[in-house]
Amino acid sequence: MLGNSECSKADALNIPSVKGCIKFIADIVTMLPIKLYKNEDGKAVEIKNDIRVKILNNETGDTLNAEQFWRAIIADYFLGKGGYAYINKQGNKYMSLHYVDETYISVNKNTDPIFKNYNICVNGKLYEPHEFIKILRNTKDGAKGHSIIEESPLILSVAINTLKFEDNLVKKGGNKKGFLKSTKKLTQEVIDMLKVAWQRLYCNNSENVVVLNDGLEFQESSNTSVEMQLNENKETNSTELYKLFTMPASVINGTGTNADYTKAFKMAALPVIKTIECALNRDYLLEKEKESFYYAFDTKEMLKGDIKERYDAYKTALESNFMQIDEVRFMENLPALGLNWIKLGLDSVLYDPTTNEIYTANTNMKTNLKKVKGGEEVEN
């Protein structure tokens, strides 16, 4: 009866809570570097000289740089059918990565619910699925995802209509809608004069007064923003919208604690990060590489905002002997000291993994693990 109210992508981005959540997640994705690793005998070895790492983190080869590229992908991920990027290759050599607006993407699927297959169509030209990186939200076919606009149209419509109502209210200077009642018949000239006076009254650019003569009465037909509890409704709507992103409201409002930001990272950003990693591992590796190579975001960068938390983490790593001092200094962009010792206990027993020697400071003794037979020690 009130008409069909649809929310477009542009409308959704006009809702502050929606735009704030998308921006927060996009900020995290663009801030964290993507690294390429190779699994060698159970050890993760970072591959630093691969052109794909440069493409994903700096220069895409497109008109968009990597930061702009990921922001566009994240917006399409939440508000469209998904984030799509064309992989430009020459043979097995990766050349560039090109963002494609999801509105230009259409999918041609087969009808088999088990052995699913599809082609991607861009401006009438067909492409194979492996030619695109596809970042999809809540997909059931691997071809296109479902946006929050599709899944939750009602709450988004309520939020955008609330903003439109408030905008209309401001334009009218806060005056209520209504109609005039007259006890006697008015001439057309009087009616036209009243219309002009009323139009000036509802313009929010000057001070106007409408004089109602005897027999005229104004009858209200709407409530004010106070009577409708507009501010309270906006806060309630924002809270409901935060739930779509599993985002703590305090983070977007700027009142969040460190625990709130950690929760936001784990609940809102990390699922998106894992989706991107899976997509890259499937579409941005050669078939022969998929057994041992993989992409991963360097999430430790998230700790660099809190120096105390970061140093406490380093202290735990050093005391637990799974990191060395120079490894910590490397993460802090400090020059190495050349210290390869690992403390084994009480700060008096030291182990050098390069020579397999144990040095006991209390007795000034060295023991070579390769030369020990029957527990015999060699004095330094």
Side-chain angles (χ1 to χ4, degrees):
M1 185 173 64
L2 296 178
N4 185 23
S5 180
E6 296 182 353
C7 180
S8 66
K9 182 189 295 188
D11 288 335
L13 288 174
N14 276 325
I15 304 173
S17 53
V18 172
K19 187 171 183 178
C21 290
I22 293 177
K23 182 180 182 302
F24 178 86
I25 295 172
D27 286 344
I28 290 179
V29 172
T30 57
M31 181 176 62
L32 298 178
I34 303 174
K35 295 186 177 181
L36 178 62
Y37 296 93
K38 183 179 181 181
N39 188 351
E40 294 184 354
D41 298 326
K43 296 181 180 180
V45 179
E46 183 182 352
I47 308 299
K48 297 183 178 181
N49 57 351
D50 196 291
I51 185 63
R52 290 168 292 186
V53 176
K54 178 182 178 181
I55 289 174
L56 291 172
N57 291 292
N58 297 293
E59 294 293 337
T60 62
D62 194 10
T63 55
L64 301 179
N65 60 33
E67 189 265 350
Q68 297 163 342
F69 170 87
W70 286 115
R71 289 189 183 279
I73 289 289
I74 295 302
D76 287 352
Y77 172 82
F78 282 108
L79 302 178
K81 62 177 67 74
Y84 293 84
Y86 175 74
I87 304 170
N88 182 26
K89 291 198 302 182
Q90 293 182 0
N92 287 338
K93 185 178 180 181
Y94 291 84
M95 305 301 295
S96 56
L97 195 61
H98 300 263
Y99 162 76
V100 181
D101 192 322
E102 58 89 20
T103 57
Y104 291 97
I105 297 286
S106 60
V107 176
N108 299 325
K109 299 189 298 183
N110 66 352
T111 57
D112 194 327
I114 298 178
F115 299 100
K116 297 177 284 295
N117 195 15
Y118 64 93
N119 288 320
I120 295 176
C121 182
V122 182
N123 284 343
K125 185 177 179 180
L126 292 179
Y127 297 87
E128 294 296 324
H130 63 80
E131 295 182 87
F132 280 81
I133 295 176
K134 303 166 290 294
I135 315 297
L136 308 177
R137 180 182 181 273
N138 292 350
T139 182
K140 292 186 177 180
D141 53 18
K144 63 179 181 178
H146 295 279
S147 68
I148 61 172
I149 297 176
E150 288 182 275
E151 293 184 341
S152 306
L154 186 58
I155 181 60
L156 290 170
S157 177
V158 170
I160 194 64
N161 284 328
T162 301
L163 291 174
K164 289 180 179 179
F165 174 80
E166 187 177 7
D167 178 61
N168 189 43
L169 198 63
V170 172
K171 289 179 179 178
K172 295 186 306 179
N175 295 313
K176 293 184 179 182
K177 289 183 178 180
F179 50 88
L180 294 174
K181 295 194 301 183
S182 176
T183 57
K184 55 186 178 181
K185 187 176 180 179
L186 302 178
T187 65
Q188 187 61 44
E189 181 181 2
V190 174
I191 293 175
D192 292 340
M193 291 176 60
L194 282 172
K195 286 182 178 180
V196 173
W198 222 258
Q199 187 176 10
R200 290 200 304 266
L201 175 66
Y202 278 91
C203 290
N204 195 25
N205 55 8
S206 62
E207 295 183 3
N208 299 294
V209 177
V210 175
V211 179
L212 297 180
N213 292 322
D214 185 28
L216 289 177
E217 179 183 352
F218 176 72
Q219 180 67 46
E220 298 173 356
S221 64
S222 65
N223 295 324
T224 64
S225 59
V226 175
E227 292 168 340
M228 293 183 65
Q229 295 181 320
L230 191 60
N231 289 335
E232 292 81 356
N233 289 338
K234 285 171 60 179
E235 292 180 2
T236 302
N237 292 338
S238 295
T239 301
E240 295 301 314
L241 290 171
Y242 292 140
K243 293 178 182 178
L244 299 181
F245 299 88
T246 59
M247 180 75 68
S250 58
V251 172
I252 305 299
N253 295 334
T255 59
T257 62
N258 288 338
D260 291 333
Y261 280 93
T262 301
K263 185 186 297 183
F265 171 73
K266 292 181 178 179
M267 297 178 62
L270 195 56
V272 180
I273 288 173
K274 299 305 294 183
T275 299
I276 295 174
E277 289 177 348
C278 289
L280 293 177
N281 291 332
R282 178 177 182 176
D283 298 322
Y284 212 46
L285 290 173
L286 300 175
E287 287 298 323
K288 62 182 181 180
E289 295 176 328
K290 292 184 178 180
E291 292 185 0
S292 56
F293 287 80
Y294 63 93
Y295 292 96
F297 281 83
D298 189 1
T299 56
K300 70 175 180 292
E301 293 292 324
M302 286 299 299
L303 294 176
K304 287 196 172 182
D306 189 333
I307 188 170
K308 184 178 185 302
E309 182 178 357
R310 187 166 79 252
Y311 284 6
D312 286 343
Y314 291 152
K315 180 181 178 182
T316 301
L318 291 171
E319 292 177 349
S320 301
N321 294 326
F322 65 83
M323 289 187 70
Q324 298 183 26
I325 293 177
D326 280 348
E327 291 176 324
V328 172
R329 293 180 64 84
F330 174 78
M331 294 173 64
E332 289 295 312
N333 298 318
L334 297 173
L337 299 177
L339 301 177
N340 293 322
W341 294 104
I342 295 177
K343 294 182 289 186
L344 298 182
L346 301 179
D347 293 332
S348 59
V349 179
L350 304 176
Y351 171 63
D352 188 345
T354 59
T355 61
N356 287 318
E357 289 182 334
I358 293 178
Y359 173 67
T360 306
N362 293 343
T363 60
N364 196 26
M365 299 286 291
K366 276 188 179 180
T367 301
N368 192 308
L369 297 180
K370 290 185 177 180
K371 298 180 180 180
V372 170
K373 292 184 179 179
E376 180 182 354
E377 292 185 345
V378 180
E379 186 174 356
N380 185 17

